């Protein structure tokens, strides 16, 4: 049985794997740019004004659901449901545009 714990090598292995993937992986910058462009379009065209507002507060300004609820005078569950519906609308839109 080995006297060295398995975990001591795992961080080195992860580093080696990261270098390998970086060197052999494909460049996905074109796909990422298309995704960003479609996401901006989806936020403008597919979401309601309230959904856009909550997404901006949550993701762009990094406010929690509780903080958004306090700021807008809503119940946190309302904010959570609205964010969930917005994410689902964005998923559906992006699924068909990619």
């Amino acid at each position: 049985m080995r006297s060295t714990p398995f975990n001591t090598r795992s961080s080195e292995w992860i580093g080696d794997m990261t270098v390998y993937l970086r060197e052999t992986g494909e460049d996905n910058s074109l796909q990422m740019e298309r995704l960003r462009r479609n996401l901006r379009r989806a936020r403008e065209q597919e979401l309601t004004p309230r959904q856009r507002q909550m997404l901006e507060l949550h993701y762009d300004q990094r406010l929690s659901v509780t903080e958004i609820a306090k700021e807008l005078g809503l119940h946190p569950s309302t904010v959570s449901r609205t964010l969930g519906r917005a994410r689902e609308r964005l998923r559906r839109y992006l699924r068909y545009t990619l």
Side-chain angles (χ1 to χ4, degrees), residues 11-25:
S11 62
E12 291 177 34
W13 181 84
I14 290 171
D16 294 344
M17 194 59 160
T18 302
V19 170
Y20 169 77
L21 290 173
R22 190 180 311 131
E23 290 176 356
T24 61

Side-chain angles (χ1 to χ4, degrees), residues 2 4-14:
R2 299 168 76 183
T4 306
F6 176 75
N7 291 344
T8 58
R9 176 74 174 117
S10 65
S11 62
E12 291 177 34
W13 181 84
I14 290 171

Side-chain angles (χ1 to χ4, degrees), residues 6-97:
F6 176 75
N7 291 344
T8 58
R9 176 74 174 117
S10 65
S11 62
E12 291 177 34
W13 181 84
I14 290 171
D16 294 344
M17 194 59 160
T18 302
V19 170
Y20 169 77
L21 290 173
R22 190 180 311 131
E23 290 176 356
T24 61
E26 295 181 30
D27 181 20
N28 66 348
S29 59
L30 293 176
Q31 291 93 346
M32 290 301 293
E33 181 54 39
R34 189 170 82 204
L35 178 61
R36 284 186 199 99
R37 188 174 50 248
N38 286 337
L39 184 56
R40 280 192 302 272
R41 185 179 305 131
R43 282 177 79 162
E44 294 168 2
Q45 296 176 357
E46 296 297 315
L47 300 179
T48 66
R50 179 55 68 111
Q51 289 172 337
R52 278 194 301 273
Q53 177 187 30
M54 288 190 192
L55 278 178
E56 180 183 333
L57 291 170
H58 189 62
Y59 291 106
D60 299 341
Q61 297 182 22
R62 306 233 185 247
L63 296 180
S64 69
V65 169
T66 305
E67 292 168 332
I68 295 170
K70 286 179 184 177
E71 185 172 315
L72 300 178
L74 300 171
H75 195 276
S77 66
T78 303
V79 174
S80 181
R81 280 193 314 270
T82 303
L83 286 170
R85 288 182 185 127
R87 284 189 295 261
E88 183 55 35
R89 283 180 111 170
L90 292 174
R91 269 190 219 103
R92 268 186 276 137
Y93 180 86
L94 293 173
R95 188 177 313 141
Y96 295 114
T97 59

